[in-house]
């Protein structure tokens, strides 16, 4: 027997507690995954019966009510008619399972057979939350479907996703939720702030399709630029007495939410970063580093309308970082001027035509309608 290190009672307690909590987390994730996949299969069964029964007068209308009543008597709560309707809608929204590519954490793709393909009747009922293996065994005979959805999204995620009408946007949000580990609250916030629509601006149809099928990829500075940035989480009010430092302090206080809004790969570096040129001091409001771009990203906050002087000041900041902070192998510094109002024509004339370093974006303190 190998030597076991001496442990205090407190150390023993912590190790045992960690093991139990890890096991409970694994069980919860497994049950959650089983439920999502089971609900998809239930929705598929309902749609099949409805489509086959349309020739029989009134049959389709009674399907959900009858099923809910019988399931309620046998299995208890959780299978009401509205819940069954959601499961039906789940299948209709995802007829081939998850939109997440396998390389981004999605399940292996399987081609869904036609709905009215003669699926055999399930002969033995299995409790929904009894585990992944049981879900597989309850799938109709001859069906190629096993587990069709990633493990880290639960039923509440999909209940939110089903409300997104555009299939391209729905696929994008599902992919990003899996890849970025969004909570249901974060997912709701990104949908409410129209993230897909903001990233789709100024993209052609092929680029929008790529966004829907692969999620957001950060390869060039413009990939992280949104217009507008939505900062409703700061809970600020637009008022005449507001100052730029109020906006900056609110961002620092809600830095986690701000990082979620500005996008992938950002790390906070500094606030009010001092730049000294021949004895004169200048201050960059916020400095970030983007590990995907491998570049510093400078953010300057402006209340009111953007001026060409604001863009010139950002150009100076970017030049300083490029010449004195950037090291070999890093990409050129990116500068973002965040303002509440801007003149796009002025921005285009002020900046060079081939510019990819200086960007001006609006911010708004409320969710778009």
């Amino acid at each position: 027997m190998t030597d076991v290190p001496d442990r205090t009672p407190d150390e023993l307690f912590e190790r045992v507690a960690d093991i139990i909590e890890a096991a409970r987390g694994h069980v919860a994730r497994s049950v959650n995954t089983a439920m999502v996949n089971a609900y998809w299969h239930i929705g598929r069964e309902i749609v099949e019966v409805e489509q086959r029964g349309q020739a029989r007068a009134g049959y389709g209308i009674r399907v959900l009510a009858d099923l809910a009543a019988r399931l309620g008597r046998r299995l208890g709560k959780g299978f009401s008619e509205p819940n069954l309707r959601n499961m039906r809608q789940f299948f209709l929204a995802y007829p081939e399972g998850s939109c997440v590519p396998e390389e981004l954490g999605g399940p292996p793709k399987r081609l869904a057979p036609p709905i009215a393909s003669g699926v055999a009747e399930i002969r033995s009922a299995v409790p929904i939350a009894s585990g992944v293996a049981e879900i597989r065994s309850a799938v109709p005979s001859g069906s190629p479907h096993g587990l069709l959805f990633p493990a880290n999204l639960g039923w509440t995620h999909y209940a939110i996703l089903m409300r997104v009408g555009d299939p391209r946007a729905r696929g994008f949000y599902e992919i990003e939720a899996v890849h970025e580990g969004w909570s249901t609250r974060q997912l709701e916030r990104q949908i409410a702030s129209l993230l897909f629509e903001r990233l789709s601006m100024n993209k052609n149809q092929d680029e929008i399709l790529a966004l829907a099928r692969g999620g957001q990829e950060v390869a060039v500075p413009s990939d992280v630029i949104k217009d507008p940035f939505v900062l409703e989480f700061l809970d600020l009010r637009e008022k005449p007495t507001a100052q730029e430092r109020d906006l900056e302090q609110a961002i620092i206080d809600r830095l986690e939410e701000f990082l979620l809004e500005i996008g992938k790969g950002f790390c906070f570096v500094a606030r009010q970063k001092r730049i000294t040129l021949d004895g004169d001091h200048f201050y960059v409001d916020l400095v970030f580093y983007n590990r995907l771009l491998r570049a510093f990203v400078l953010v300057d906050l402006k209340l009111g309308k953007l001026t060409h002087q604001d863009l010139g000041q950002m150009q100076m900041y970017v030049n300083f970082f490029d010449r004195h902070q950037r090291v070999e192998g890093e990409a050129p510094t990116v500068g973002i001027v965040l303002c509440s109002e801007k003149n796009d024509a002025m921005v285009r004339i002020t900046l060079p035509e081939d510019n990819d370093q200086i960007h001006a974006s609006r911010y708004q303190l409320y969710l778009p309608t």
Side-chain angles (χ1 to χ4, degrees):
M1 185 175 178
T2 57
D3 292 334
V4 178
D6 292 334
R7 294 195 180 98
T8 66
D10 287 343
E11 290 172 335
L12 176 62
F13 167 77
E14 291 296 334
R15 286 179 62 83
V16 172
D18 288 345
I19 291 169
I20 294 171
E21 288 171 354
R24 284 178 174 174
H26 177 73
V27 168
R29 286 190 297 273
S30 297
V31 170
N32 205 9
T33 302
M35 289 175 65
V36 169
N37 285 276
Y39 290 166
W40 183 93
H41 286 294
I42 291 170
R44 185 172 187 272
E45 294 292 312
I46 292 169
V47 171
E48 274 213 337
V49 169
E50 286 181 335
Q51 289 195 1
R52 287 177 173 179
Q54 283 180 358
R56 283 170 274 181
Y59 180 74
I61 299 174
R62 298 197 310 270
V63 167
L64 292 183
D66 291 348
L67 181 60
R70 295 181 67 182
L71 289 174
R73 288 193 295 269
R74 179 164 177 173
L75 300 175
K77 295 181 179 180
F79 297 96
S80 65
E81 186 174 349
N83 287 347
L84 293 176
R85 203 174 299 281
N86 281 338
M87 297 173 201
R88 175 184 179 277
Q89 181 58 35
F90 184 34
F91 171 76
L92 293 175
Y94 292 92
E96 296 185 4
S98 173
C99 297
V100 183
E102 188 174 353
E103 60 271 18
L104 293 181
K109 290 300 178 188
R110 302 171 177 85
L111 183 63
I115 290 298
S117 58
V119 177
E121 180 182 358
I122 300 178
R123 300 187 182 279
S124 57
V126 180
I128 291 302
S130 60
V132 172
E134 288 83 352
I135 297 301
R136 283 199 183 99
S137 67
V139 175
S141 174
S143 171
H145 291 289
L147 298 179
L148 297 167
F149 294 91
N152 58 338
L153 293 191
W155 176 240
T156 305
H157 285 92
Y158 283 103
I160 295 168
L161 287 165
M162 283 189 291
R163 300 200 298 263
V164 179
D166 183 347
R168 299 174 305 174
R170 189 190 311 127
F172 166 80
Y173 289 122
E174 186 195 13
I175 291 168
E176 288 297 305
V178 168
H179 198 236
E180 298 301 309
W182 288 347
S183 66
T184 54
R185 178 174 171 272
Q186 290 170 332
L187 173 61
E188 281 193 299
R189 192 260 163 190
Q190 297 291 34
I191 292 172
S193 69
L194 303 180
L195 175 63
F196 177 76
E197 288 77 6
R198 288 185 287 144
L199 289 174
S200 298
M201 283 184 175
N202 302 319
K203 293 185 184 296
N204 60 40
Q205 288 302 311
D206 289 340
E207 291 171 328
I208 293 174
L209 267 179
L211 191 66
R213 292 172 177 170
Q216 183 185 10
E217 293 186 5
V218 177
V220 296
S222 59
D223 289 336
V224 299
I225 303 302
K226 305 182 186 77
D227 195 11
F229 284 79
V230 180
L231 309 180
E232 91 294 340
F233 51 85
L234 300 181
D235 198 25
L236 290 175
R237 299 286 183 271
E238 293 181 349
K239 52 186 179 181
T241 58
Q243 299 185 17
E244 287 164 5
R245 67 169 175 263
D246 298 327
L247 179 59
E248 178 190 327
Q249 185 59 53
I251 289 173
I252 294 298
D253 291 342
R254 300 288 183 88
L255 189 58
E256 183 179 355
E257 290 95 331
F258 185 71
L259 289 172
L260 179 66
E261 169 61 14
I262 59 175
K264 294 183 176 182
F266 280 93
C267 307
F268 178 67
V269 176
R271 66 184 294 194
Q272 292 298 310
K273 176 68 174 177
R274 188 172 73 178
I275 293 174
T276 302
L277 301 172
D278 287 342
D280 291 332
H281 301 306
F282 305 90
Y283 298 87
V284 185
D285 289 337
L286 300 169
V287 180
F288 298 91
Y289 189 84
N290 190 286
R291 60 184 181 81
L292 302 177
L293 295 174
R294 293 186 56 81
F296 284 105
V297 179
L298 315 181
V299 176
D300 219 20
L301 305 170
K302 297 296 177 184
L303 296 181
K305 193 168 185 177
L306 181 73
T307 67
H308 65 277
Q309 290 94 336
D310 297 328
L311 296 174
Q313 179 175 264
M314 177 55 76
Q315 184 68 69
M316 179 187 69
Y317 294 161
V318 165
N319 290 344
F320 178 86
F321 267 75
D322 274 349
R323 297 171 191 176
H324 300 286
Q325 299 290 322
R326 181 161 65 104
V327 299
E328 186 178 355
E330 290 183 330
T333 304
V334 179
I336 302 174
V337 184
L338 268 184
C339 56
S340 58
E341 186 180 355
K342 67 169 181 168
N343 182 323
D344 289 320
M346 183 273 292
V347 173
R348 287 194 298 271
I349 290 297
T350 302
L351 298 175
E353 289 185 354
D354 60 349
N355 163 70
D356 198 29
Q357 284 189 269
I358 311 297
H359 301 269
S361 287
R362 293 176 298 116
Y363 68 84
Q364 61 186 54
L365 301 176
Y366 52 87
L367 290 172
T369 60

